[in-house]
Structure formats: C-alpha cells, structure tokens
C-alpha cells in the first residue's frame, strides 16, 4: 500500500460506496481518508461505516483516516401555499416571523429569529445556493423587508445564505453537538466543523474534543476569511470548502482565496484540504472534463495536503474511477518538471525552535546527500507534520507507537505512516528506522536515510536530533 504520490485523497462515503467491498476498492485505488457526511448519516450508519473502514484497514495493513463532517447550521425559508413562488427582479418581498401562515409571492416565514435580529439594511440574502438574491431595505419588528435583485423560482425550504451578516450563534448546533459526541465515541480521527465564522467556534469544539480527534475548520463563510489567520492558528487543519464560499463570495475571488489559504496553512504547518466539485462531472461520466483535471492539478501544484471527492464517490456512478483519476492527476503533477520549483517558491522560513530548525536541516541534508528517505519518530504527530511542512523531495516515513497518531497523519502531505513500538535506545532507533525503510520499499542495502527524533526518546514535541544512517545488507542500520 505504498503510495507513489505525496498529495492525499479524501473520499466521501455514501449510498454508492458504503459497502465494505467498495471501501476496500476505494482504498486500493488511492483513498487515504474517508469522509462521513453527518448531514446524511445517522449515528447507527456512522458506527457501521467506521466498523467497515477499520475492517478494511486491518485487512490491508495500512492506516486509514476517518473524518466526520458536521452539518452545521442549516438556514432555510419555510413553505409556500403552492409549493413555490416566482420572484421578479425589483419586486418587494418580506421574510417574517409569522409561523402560522404559508408563504405567497409577497412574503414567507423565516424560522430563524437570529437572522431577523442580525440583518441590517443593505445586507444581501442569497436563496437556493445563490440563484436568487434579495437586498434588505427595512428591518425591525420581527420583519425583514427586501427588494428582489435577481429573481426566479423559490420553493419550499430552500437555503438562505448571508454573506454580509455575522450571526450571533456558534457553528455548533444541537444536532452537531450530539453528532460530535457520537463521532468521538466511534473514535474517528478528524472532526470537520462547518460554517466557521470566528475563532471562538474552534475554541468551543476543542473544549469538547479535548485532543481525542483533530479539529478541521471548514472555510466557507466571508466572515471566516476576515479572521483567517486566527482560525488557522487555532485549528489542527483547514478545509477550503469552495461550494458555499463560491455562493457567498464572487466566484472569481475563490481561486485567489484558495491559493492564500494553502500558503497560510503551509506557513503555519497545518494540513489543508481542497474540496468541492473537483471532479463533479464524474458523478455521471467515467472521465472528467479538462477543466476539472486542471483544477485538481492546481491544488496539487500549490502543495495542498489533500484533495477531496464529495458526491463523486458518495453517490456517483463511478466512485472507483473518480479516486483513480484523482490519483493519476496527482502523480502526473508531482512528476512534472515545474513541480519542485513551484513548491520551493512557496517555501516558508522555519520558526526559531529546535524542532523547526531540525526539520529544515533534515530536508536540506536529505536532498544534498541524495538520501533514500526521511524517517521521523513522532508520538503526537507534530514532528511528522513539521517534516511535511518542508515539502522535501525525499519520501517521509512517520513511525509512531500510537495508532491514533498515524491514522490522523494520513491526511498530511507526503507522509507514509507505520505503527511501531518506541525505540528503547539510540541504536535500536537507528536499526528500527532502517529495517522499516527497507521493508516498506523506500531504501535498499547501501542506501542512507535521515532519522529525526526527540531525545530522551518518547518525549512529545521535543524533536532535537538528526542522524544519518546506512542501511546494511540485512536491512538493519549503522550510523
């Protein structure tokens, strides 16, 4: 199960891919992490899916990450007398708190008092994924009076997006809270938090998670962009959720924001996932469009840790082909003559810590001496993430006694994870690193590898040692 690419692949599971045999096929095709969408999965289905993934993981003897994606607040208008109405540009339309009446062409009930209290005159309200746009002209007394900017058909329970309004509610709804506790019980590796607006949203979730899973902030609100740096610092990883971001912001701004987020995450050493519509046409077709291939390529060229499939693998007709295509694109990009130059151009300076200095030195030594691999001992995962932040041209092997750590690292760029016992001495550490590099197919007898670890051994976050070792004929090492 050694991957020959550095960028990782997240595949969403759903009706087309929930069966264990299909999960195994997707893992073999290249899926490194499986996403369970809590918008559609019951607690029972989530536990069943986790069990199936773990069964596949044991059979393949290869760590697999699991991401539980929380639904987040779903803001919707209520129902209409005829099931839908047609709004015309320039007309007046009211959203109010009159729960008893069904809507008509002039008004509709909005079951979200927090919206009615927060919207200001001039704010935009986007309906049905941005297909319709209203502008608030008068607010107060439990009513938002608007003028229709872009009209069209509006039917029952369509979504409402508020690009100009900061809502007072947190990102975690009651359903999310229950789903989060259940996901932690199932021992998922990552929790994705939807509709993050402010750093406090991350803090609230971290208090509940308490280190039992990584917290991934989904950036899909303009308000999150305004405080992006704070959110990145507080999160364990970031997802560039381009779907809702493209609804609430002008579409032409999204590619630049994607680039900015990837670079910021690389600077702070936080894994970054690019998501939404990457191979959308493969929901119904066995091959993607040229534009989609180009889209995936750009994310890989930028050095994103992972690219994600949503409906393509969850409900599409060609889930395995979609994963295979994504893997092929990543391999082609990483083999391109321009790839290393582009990756190097966005290289960030190490911070003034021993761990960062060792990681930067390790990359330089490995490339200068043409070493076979970089082997890093990591208890918490932080050493592995630091090594990946350098985006070395040499393979990274992360060794950890902690199975949860290596599963969590499965989303991180370029890391090949192996569970192994903690080394008992420096000699044992060198031997163990050389044997695993040899057994996993990264090094041959006579090759040299770089080894980083914290001394004393087993101390989390204390990377302070770099060794260069020869792989002997028996696969063991000498330094």
């Amino acid at each position: 199960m050694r991957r020959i690419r550095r960028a990782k692949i997240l595949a969403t599971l759903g009706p087309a891919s929930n069966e264990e045999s299909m999960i195994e096929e997707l893992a073999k095709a290249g899926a490194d992490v499986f996403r369970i969408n809590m918008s559609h999965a019951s607690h029972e289905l989530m536990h069943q899916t986790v069990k199936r993934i773990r069964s596949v993981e044991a059979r393949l003897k290869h760590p697999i990450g699991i991401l539980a994606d929380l639904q987040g607040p779903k803001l919707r208008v209520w129902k209409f007398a005829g099931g839908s109405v047609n709004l015309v540009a320039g007309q007046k339309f009211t959203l109010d708190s009159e729960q008893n009446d069904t809507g008509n062409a002039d008004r509709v009930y909005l079951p979200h008092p927090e919206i009615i209290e927060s919207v200001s005159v001039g704010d935009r309200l986007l309906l049905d994924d941005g297909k319709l746009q209203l502008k608030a002209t008068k607010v107060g007394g439990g009513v938002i009076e608007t003028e229709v900017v872009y009209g069209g058909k509006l039917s029952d329970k369509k979504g409402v997006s508020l690009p100009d309004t900061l809502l007072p509610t947190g990102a975690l709804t009651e359903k999310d809270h229950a789903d989060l506790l259940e996901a932690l019980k199932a021992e998922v590796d990552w929790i994705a938090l939807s509709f993050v607006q402010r750093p406090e949203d991350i803090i609230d979730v971290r208090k509940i998670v308490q280190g039992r899973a990584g917290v991934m902030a989904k950036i899909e609100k303009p308000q999150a962009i305004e405080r992006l740096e704070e959110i990145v610092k507080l999160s364990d990883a970031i997802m560039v959720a381009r779907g809702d971001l493209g609804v609430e912001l002008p579409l032409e701004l999204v590619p630049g924001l994607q680039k900015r987020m990837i670079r910021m995450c690389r600077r702070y050493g936080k894994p970054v996932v690019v998501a939404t519509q990457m191979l959308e046409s493969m929901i119904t077709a066995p091959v993607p469009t040229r534009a989609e291939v180009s889209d995936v390529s750009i994310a890989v060229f930028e050095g994103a840790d992972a690219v994600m499939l949503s409906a393509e693998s969850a409900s599409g007709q060609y889930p395995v082909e979609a994963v295979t295509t994504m893997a092929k694109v990543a391999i082609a990009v990483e083999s391109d003559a321009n790839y290393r130059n582009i990756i190097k151009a966005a290289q960030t300076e190490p911070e003034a810590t021993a761990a960062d200095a060792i990681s930067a030195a390790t990359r330089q030594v490995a490339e200068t001496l043409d070493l076979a691999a970089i082997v890093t001992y990591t208890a918490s995962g932080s050493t592995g993430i630091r090594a990946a932040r350098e985006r070395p041209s040499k393979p990274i092997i992360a060794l950890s006694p902690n199975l949860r750590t290596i599963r969590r690292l499965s989303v991180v760029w370029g890391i090949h994870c192996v569970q192994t016992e903690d080394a008992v001495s420096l000699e044992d550490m060198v031997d163990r690193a050389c044997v695993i590099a040899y057994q996993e197919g990264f090094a041959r007898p006579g090759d040299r590898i770089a080894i980083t670890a914290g001394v004393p051994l087993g101390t989390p976050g204390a990377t302070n040692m770099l060794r260069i070792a020869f792989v002997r004929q028996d696969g063991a090492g000498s330094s």
Side-chain angles (χ1 to χ4, degrees):
M1 287 292 289
R2 177 190 165 184
R3 308 290 194 209
I4 56 171
R5 60 182 153 78
R6 311 301 173 84
K8 300 296 179 71
I9 295 173
L10 272 79
T12 305
L13 298 179
S17 51
N18 266 338
E19 294 304 317
E20 194 171 311
S21 57
M22 179 56 81
I23 292 170
E24 185 169 341
E25 275 193 68
L26 293 173
K28 286 177 176 175
D32 302 288
V33 180
F34 287 111
R35 170 178 172 256
I36 301 171
N37 188 352
M38 299 310 295
S39 298
H40 306 299
S42 65
H43 291 175
E44 185 186 356
L45 178 59
M46 181 199 61
H47 281 289
Q48 187 182 62
T49 305
V50 169
K51 191 177 175 184
R52 287 171 177 172
I53 295 167
R54 294 300 178 223
S55 174
V56 169
E57 178 186 64
R59 200 155 50 249
L60 296 179
K61 296 183 175 62
H62 181 78
I64 296 173
I66 301 176
L67 169 80
D69 195 335
L70 304 179
Q71 176 178 280
K74 289 293 180 190
L75 309 174
R76 302 181 185 280
V77 298
W78 197 236
K79 296 178 181 178
F80 294 93
S84 67
V85 293
N86 200 57
L87 302 185
V88 180
Q91 79 165 82
K92 304 297 179 191
F93 188 72
T94 302
L95 299 104
D96 58 38
S97 46
E98 297 294 324
Q99 186 173 355
N100 299 328
D101 299 329
T102 47
N104 54 44
D106 300 316
R107 59 153 298 278
V108 70
Y109 168 51
L110 185 64
H112 303 286
E114 67 274 21
I115 296 180
I116 293 173
E117 289 162 15
S118 304
V119 167
S120 303
V121 171
D123 284 4
R124 290 167 296 157
L125 294 91
L126 308 179
L127 308 176
D128 193 8
D129 288 337
K131 295 185 182 77
L132 295 88
Q133 183 178 315
L134 314 177
K135 187 176 180 180
T137 54
K138 186 178 177 184
V139 295
V143 171
I144 305 171
E145 292 182 19
T146 74
E147 181 181 326
V148 178
V149 179
Y150 298 117
K153 182 182 175 184
L154 178 62
S155 49
D156 295 347
K157 294 192 172 182
K158 285 299 179 185
V160 181
S161 299
L162 302 151
D164 306 323
T165 311
L166 181 68
L167 294 178
T169 52
L172 208 62
T173 64
E174 278 185 40
K175 170 181 162 51
D176 292 334
H177 191 271
D179 289 347
L180 172 56
L181 295 177
E182 206 64 32
L184 292 172
K185 199 185 294 182
E187 296 189 355
V188 304
D189 307 296
W190 287 94
I191 299 290
L193 183 62
S194 297
F195 298 109
V196 172
Q197 292 188 100
R198 50 178 88 76
E200 291 78 10
D201 294 336
I202 304 297
I203 294 167
D204 292 344
V205 174
R206 293 196 85 92
K207 284 176 185 171
I208 300 166
V209 173
Q210 295 182 336
R212 289 176 284 172
V215 177
M216 185 181 289
K218 292 172 68 177
I219 307 298
E220 48 196 336
K221 299 283 289 180
Q223 292 80 8
I225 299 295
E226 290 167 18
R227 302 185 68 181
L228 184 62
E229 198 157 0
E230 295 169 84
I231 291 168
V232 168
K233 286 178 180 176
L234 284 167
S235 305
D236 295 309
I238 293 293
M239 184 187 290
V240 186
R242 304 178 307 175
D244 283 285
L245 201 57
V247 169
E248 300 205 13
L249 282 167
L251 280 170
E252 65 273 15
L253 297 182
V254 175
L257 286 170
Q258 174 178 310
K259 194 178 286 270
R260 180 179 153 200
M261 283 187 257
I262 292 172
R263 291 194 175 186
M264 188 179 288
C265 288
R266 284 185 60 186
R267 187 163 79 246
Y268 286 109
K270 301 295 174 85
V272 56
V273 179
V274 178
T276 322
Q277 295 181 331
M278 299 215 82
L279 296 175
E280 185 86 351
S281 67
M282 289 194 76
I283 295 170
T284 54
V287 291
T289 66
R290 277 67 177 160
E292 287 165 344
V293 169
S294 190
D295 182 36
V296 175
S297 297
I298 288 166
V300 177
F301 267 122
E302 277 292 312
D305 289 80
V307 283
M308 192 177 99
L309 296 166
S310 299
E312 301 96 327
S313 59
S315 55
Q317 295 173 29
Y318 301 97
V320 176
E321 289 84 352
V323 172
T324 303
T325 298
M326 204 165 240
K328 282 180 180 174
V329 172
I331 291 165
V333 168
E334 291 168 7
S335 306
D336 190 276
N338 291 311
Y339 177 70
R340 290 306 317 170
N341 291 334
I342 294 170
I343 289 292
K344 200 173 283 186
Q347 198 84 44
T348 55
E349 289 298 310
E351 291 176 30
T353 65
D356 263 36
I358 292 285
S359 295
T362 304
R363 174 187 60 78
Q364 194 166 5
V365 166
E367 291 173 356
T368 303
L369 299 180
D370 195 24
L371 305 184
I374 294 166
V375 181
T376 172
Y377 283 85
T378 180
S380 64
S382 62
T383 308
I385 290 170
R386 278 196 185 96
R389 177 185 175 222
E390 290 295 317
R391 299 293 190 263
S393 60
K394 302 300 177 182
I396 306 166
I397 306 170
L399 307 182
S400 179
N402 188 340
L403 181 58
R404 300 196 73 167
T405 294
I406 64 170
R407 283 171 174 164
R408 202 178 294 183
L409 288 174
S410 57
V411 78
V412 181
W413 185 96
I415 293 187
H416 178 83
C417 304
V418 179
Q419 186 184 20
T420 181
E421 292 172 17
D422 252 339
V424 294
S425 64
L426 287 177
E427 188 184 351
D428 180 37
M429 183 193 76
V430 170
D431 272 353
R432 194 182 292 270
C434 289
V435 166
I436 290 172
Y438 172 70
Q439 287 176 341
E440 298 288 317
F442 289 92
R444 294 169 299 186
D447 284 344
R448 290 178 297 174
I449 62 171
I451 305 166
T452 64
V455 179
L457 296 167
T459 310
T463 307
N464 57 9
M465 190 205 72
L466 165 60
R467 287 284 277 271
I468 298 168
F470 275 96
V471 180
R472 300 198 309 253
Q473 290 299 321
D474 58 359
S478 59
S479 57

